[in-house]
Amino acid sequence: MKIGFYPKLAWTGIKKNKKIYVPYMFACIGMIMMFYMICFLSTSEIVRGMLGGETMQMTLSFGCLVISVFALIFLFYTNSFLMKRRYKEFGLYHILGMGKKNVAYVMVWECIQITTITLICGIGGGIFFSKLGELAMIKMLGGKADFHFTISVSSAKDTITVFLPIFLLILLKCLFQIFRMKPVELLKSAQVGEKPPKSNWVLTVLGIVILAGAYIIALSIEEPMQVIGMFFVAVIMVIGATYLLFEAGSVVLCKILKNNKRYYYKSNHFISVSTMMFRMKRNGEGLASICILSTMVLVMVSAVSCLYMGAEDFLNSRYPQELVIDVQTEDEEKVEEFYNIVSEVLEETQTEKEDELFYTYLGAAGYLDGSELAMSPERMESYGTDVYKHIRQLFFIPVEDYNRLMGKQETLKENEILLYNTKLEYEEDILALENGREWKIKKNVPKFVDNGLDVMQTISSMFIFVKDKETLSEIRQECEQLSGMENAMDNYRGINLKADAEKQIEVAQELQKRGAEFEQQNENLHVMVESRETERAGFYALYGGMFILGILLGIVFIVGMVLIMYYKQVTEGYEDQQRFEILQKVGMSHRDIRKSINSQVLTVFFTPLIAAGIHTAFAFPMMSKIIVLFGINNQKLLLIVTAACYIIFTLFYVAMYLVTSRAYYGIVSNKKED
């Protein structure tokens, strides 16, 4: 045979089967493009040189691993749809005189051509869109746009290094199938899986039990810290239960529908139910995959969108004042000395104060056991893994500071306190330390000034207002004796400035410099200076990076879902073509065929969408706890974003239904494509 025979035959096979090859190649191009873009953005020197750029790139680099693993699994999965249509053709080649070795040459050339086209187009598309991604990241970080176009050779090399082995593994799998199967098996491969299914109530009930268990876990978790350990357990349970229910449970459902004579003996239901029953094992896998991918898209895009939209609110909550100065010492003279330095810096930089607040507090941590706060290491260790549920952040504050800040005139006795709780309620009348000191709660106060430290914590905080500073010193000594750790006395001062962002950063940097010098000159003293504007870039780098990564991965998962839908309908359309030809010959009209197809495709398409909506609804409590770990405690925002994502996703899903239904109808009714 001539040298060009195999490449030409391979290219002819691709063109003749463009209905199944073109979507597969587009999916490959899309994944390669996304991989290149994430590699490019995670190594861009322009992004790295900006404030928060390294944080954003660290977040994005995780996406390269996710796409690599997903591409390997997904392309293997979808290639099986594609090759099922080709095995019959390869079997025919074999019968006409071509040996398996010759067929293997054709497959090798097909792989070379597809790999070359998809890598060139994918990397080319990645190069084109990567600049748009870079500009979006610069915008998020508040930098200045740079329209200098660059091509990352290292990102292109990484892309080729990842995807070449994937295509090679797919080729080896196909060659193994060709050499393993007999020519007759290749010809009949399209009819595999047509055995009548059996109802499996055991697996169906098992799937229901596992899914119910996952839902109970999702609803029962109260503490955000518990989500870390249980989230992946619940996810694995949901995935396993979804596959069991769609494979075994769908057969049981079809049997139930078949036994319902009113429903079953209608032309549109009779054919759709009968057809799905004979293909339900493979059908179930596809439906379950679509459901899981849909849920992943909804959960991930909703969460990252909520994080990005809530970043500004969290930034303002984390830093209630634009400039925060915390001097840790009991020496009040040293505190005043540093505050004089603050005034000097404000004068030097010609910056005016808009308003300020200050108070003294003692920070500690304890385990709330009933009405007792345990602090000793022995007691803490005895609680085991349950420690996170009852641990509390403690802020002991003199009542005089509370009165001054809140405009009150409360007075306390030695054994009395005022109490303010965040996140969780405290219903006891007394509060005690582990060493026996006990206070009567005179009043539960409804509010105190916003504390950035409390917002940053996932655990509940207790603001305990005591009689005076002398009592505060006594409590500090007792806490140190119990915990074996030093507890610093914090002198907190929050200041708002009449200055733009650039000036605020300048003031904060100068104060940080002066604070470091002041620490060196004084022992047992620590100065902390924080600025909202200084931290802004870091906040948006983290949440912006997760947002971009979530959207890109969401697109990848949607591409995978769409391709599974398309191949599922096309392959089943070819399988059903002969059946509908027979039904037309015995008198079934095109209108009846259309009604039957709509019944089948509606069932196939919208069952995963409904199931994904249910999964997402039960995942909502865990999602709300997860975003709390990132500092966003706005369930209303998460609910609105999740609902909006589901509506938008449903509209996209309906569009895919219309396209797929038309393609399926065109195949089974023997209509030529436009």
Side-chain angles (χ1 to χ4, degrees):
M1 294 183 182
K2 293 182 180 180
I3 296 175
F5 174 76
Y6 293 114
K8 185 176 180 181
L9 187 61
W11 184 246
T12 301
I14 293 172
K15 289 196 296 183
K16 292 289 185 182
N17 294 276
K18 62 183 179 180
K19 184 175 286 187
I20 58 175
Y21 270 106
V22 170
Y24 174 74
M25 292 170 70
F26 270 117
C28 294
I29 290 169
M31 292 196 181
I32 292 168
M33 184 173 70
M34 292 297 175
F35 185 89
Y36 175 90
M37 286 179 62
I38 293 178
C39 282
F40 175 84
L41 295 175
S42 62
T43 57
S44 169
E45 294 294 334
I46 295 174
V47 175
R48 184 178 300 167
M50 300 178 62
L51 280 174
E54 290 187 7
T55 303
M56 183 175 275
Q57 288 184 331
M58 192 181 303
T59 306
L60 285 174
S61 60
F62 175 70
C64 295
L65 176 62
V66 175
I67 291 183
S68 301
V69 175
F70 180 75
L72 176 64
I73 297 171
F74 172 71
L75 293 181
F76 258 84
Y77 180 76
T78 52
N79 184 261
S80 63
F81 283 99
L82 184 148
M83 293 310 299
K84 185 169 184 181
R85 292 296 307 166
R86 298 303 312 280
Y87 283 145
K88 184 176 180 180
E89 185 179 327
F90 292 145
L92 185 60
Y93 286 163
H94 195 64
I95 290 174
L96 292 175
M98 291 179 66
K100 289 186 176 181
K101 186 177 180 181
N102 302 110
V103 174
Y105 286 149
V106 176
M107 293 188 68
V108 169
W109 274 105
E110 279 192 9
C111 181
I112 291 173
Q113 290 166 355
I114 290 172
T115 302
T116 303
I117 292 171
T118 54
L119 280 175
I120 291 174
C121 294
I123 294 174
I127 291 170
F128 178 78
F129 287 105
S130 59
K131 189 60 187 179
L132 295 178
E134 187 179 66
L135 291 173
M137 291 177 71
I138 292 171
K139 176 70 175 175
M140 287 180 176
L141 296 176
K144 295 181 180 178
D146 182 354
F147 294 97
H148 181 67
F149 192 80
T150 56
I151 298 174
S152 175
V153 177
S154 62
S155 298
K157 286 181 179 178
D158 290 341
T159 305
I160 294 170
T161 303
V162 167
F163 281 90
L164 266 183
I166 292 176
F167 287 122
L168 179 60
L169 288 172
I170 291 172
L171 172 63
L172 292 175
K173 185 205 74 168
C174 295
L175 292 176
F176 174 77
Q177 293 286 347
I178 290 293
F179 282 100
R180 185 181 63 85
M181 297 172 70
K182 297 177 182 178
V184 176
E185 292 176 335
L186 289 171
L187 284 170
K188 293 184 177 181
S189 61
Q191 281 73 47
V192 174
E194 295 294 323
K195 294 181 181 179
K198 296 181 180 179
S199 301
N200 195 327
W201 282 95
V202 174
L203 292 180
T204 303
V205 173
L206 181 62
I208 293 171
V209 170
I210 293 174
L211 188 63
Y215 286 169
I216 290 170
I217 290 173
L219 295 175
S220 62
I221 293 177
E222 296 181 0
E223 291 294 318
M225 291 299 294
Q226 291 180 292
V227 176
I228 297 174
M230 299 306 297
F231 178 75
F232 292 104
V233 174
V235 167
I236 292 170
M237 290 174 68
V238 167
I239 291 174
T242 301
Y243 276 98
L244 285 174
L245 289 175
F246 272 100
E247 289 187 24
S250 55
V251 175
V252 171
L253 177 62
C254 285
K255 292 281 188 179
I256 293 172
L257 293 176
K258 186 177 180 180
N259 292 331
N260 186 339
K261 295 181 179 180
R262 283 188 177 182
Y263 179 87
Y264 184 64
Y265 288 107
K266 292 182 179 180
S267 59
N268 55 329
H269 297 158
F270 175 82
I271 299 170
S272 60
V273 172
S274 300
T275 301
M276 286 191 293
M277 281 181 61
F278 278 85
R279 223 171 18 224
M280 200 44 72
K281 184 176 181 180
R282 186 181 67 252
N283 209 30
E285 289 180 7
L287 293 176
S289 299
I290 293 169
C291 178
I292 295 301
L293 287 172
S294 301
T295 307
M296 290 170 67
V297 170
L298 288 169
V299 170
M300 182 171 56
V301 173
S302 299
V304 298
S305 299
C306 182
L307 286 174
Y308 184 67
M309 291 179 187
E312 186 66 26
D313 288 339
F314 176 55
L315 181 65
N316 292 331
S317 298
R318 173 64 182 87
Y319 301 99
Q321 289 77 37
E322 293 168 342
L323 186 65
V324 174
I325 299 147
D326 195 319
V327 183
Q328 293 182 348
T329 180
E330 276 194 280
D331 190 336
E332 294 186 7
E333 291 184 2
K334 294 297 181 183
V335 174
E336 289 301 318
E337 187 177 339
F338 186 75
Y339 286 159
N340 290 333
I341 294 174
V342 173
S343 299
E344 290 175 10
V345 171
L346 293 177
E347 288 181 13
E348 291 171 6
T349 56
Q350 297 181 343
T351 307
E352 293 183 37
K353 290 187 289 187
E354 199 164 22
D355 57 72
E356 66 178 316
L357 61 86
F358 58 92
Y359 60 92
T360 301
Y361 72 89
L362 169 67
Y367 184 95
L368 186 62
D369 187 358
S371 61
E372 182 183 71
L373 289 168
M375 295 184 180
S376 63
E378 295 79 14
R379 285 281 298 276
M380 297 289 278
E381 289 174 4
S382 67
Y383 297 119
T385 56
D386 197 40
V387 68
Y388 291 111
K389 187 175 182 180
H390 296 282
I391 199 165
R392 296 290 183 270
Q393 175 69 52
L394 309 174
F395 297 98
F396 295 93
I397 303 170
V399 73
E400 61 184 276
D401 284 345
Y402 170 79
N403 288 333
R404 176 170 45 79
L405 292 170
M406 305 306 295
K408 304 292 184 180
Q409 294 182 345
E410 299 287 350
T411 57
L412 295 172
K413 297 178 182 178
E414 192 70 35
N415 65 337
E416 289 182 333
I417 59 171
L418 301 178
L419 185 63
Y420 167 60
N421 282 280
T422 65
K423 303 179 181 75
L424 294 174
E425 296 295 327
Y426 181 76
E427 298 178 354
E428 303 290 335
D429 295 326
I430 61 171
L431 183 67
L433 286 180
E434 184 182 344
N435 63 356
R437 178 189 277 262
E438 186 176 286
W439 298 285
K440 179 183 177 182
I441 300 174
K442 182 179 180 181
K443 185 187 294 185
N444 281 289
V445 297
K447 191 177 181 182
F448 188 57
V449 294
D450 291 334
N451 185 304
L453 295 176
D454 172 58
V455 172
M456 188 172 60
Q457 305 277 0
T458 59
I459 58 177
S460 176
S461 294
M462 301 179 77
F463 289 80
I464 303 166
F465 304 100
V466 298
K467 181 183 177 184
D468 49 36
K469 289 187 178 180
E470 287 73 20
T471 305
L472 200 63
S473 296
E474 293 173 8
I475 295 171
R476 184 180 70 82
Q477 294 174 7
E478 293 175 11
C479 289
E480 288 182 351
Q481 290 173 358
L482 288 169
S483 65
M485 300 171 59
E486 290 188 8
N487 291 94
M489 197 75 77
D490 290 80
N491 296 273
Y492 178 96
R493 182 168 296 230
I495 306 172
N496 287 326
L497 304 174
K498 292 182 179 180
D500 57 20
E502 191 173 331
K503 176 66 74 173
Q504 290 181 35
I505 293 173
E506 179 189 342
V507 171
Q509 290 175 342
E510 181 61 28
L511 284 174
Q512 287 167 352
K513 178 183 173 183
R514 300 280 186 96
E517 294 172 353
F518 194 71
E519 280 186 22
Q520 292 177 353
Q521 297 167 4
N522 299 276
E523 295 182 359
N524 301 321
L525 180 146
H526 177 66
V527 177
M528 181 183 68
V529 178
E530 294 181 320
S531 165
R532 184 191 298 168
E533 293 303 324
T534 302
E535 301 299 325
R536 182 181 296 276
F539 268 78
Y540 277 93
L542 176 61
Y543 296 145
M546 288 192 292
F547 179 72
I548 291 175
L549 180 59
I551 296 300
L552 292 179
L553 291 180
I555 292 172
V556 169
F557 294 149
I558 287 174
V559 168
M561 182 190 69
V562 168
L563 195 61
I564 291 174
M565 288 180 178
Y566 179 81
Y567 276 141
K568 183 172 164 27
Q569 295 306 319
V570 167
T571 53
E572 292 179 4
Y574 281 119
E575 291 171 4
D576 292 342
Q577 189 178 56
Q578 189 175 4
R579 297 187 187 95
F580 280 101
E581 284 179 1
I582 295 170
L583 289 170
Q584 286 183 76
K585 289 177 182 178
V586 297
M588 191 174 186
S589 66
H590 282 287
R591 183 180 178 183
D592 290 333
I593 291 175
R594 172 73 76 175
K595 288 175 66 178
S596 174
I597 290 170
N598 284 338
S599 174
Q600 179 176 338
V601 177
L602 276 168
T603 304
V604 168
F605 262 58
F606 288 94
T607 302
L609 178 64
I610 294 169
I614 295 171
H615 288 344
T616 304
F618 278 96
F620 184 85
M622 297 189 83
M623 290 166 60
S624 64
K625 301 295 189 304
I626 289 172
I627 65 170
V628 166
L629 295 175
F630 289 93
I632 308 296
N633 193 17
N634 190 339
Q635 290 198 4
K636 184 178 179 181
L637 174 63
L638 179 61
L639 181 62
I640 293 171
V641 171
T642 304
C645 286
Y646 189 76
I647 292 169
I648 294 170
F649 186 79
T650 300
L651 294 174
F652 172 81
Y653 207 92
V654 170
M656 282 308 305
Y657 158 71
L658 296 174
V659 172
T660 309
S661 177
R662 182 181 177 186
Y664 181 89
Y665 178 75
I667 293 170
V668 299
S669 61
N670 283 320
K671 286 189 175 183
K672 294 183 179 180
E673 294 179 295
D674 294 335

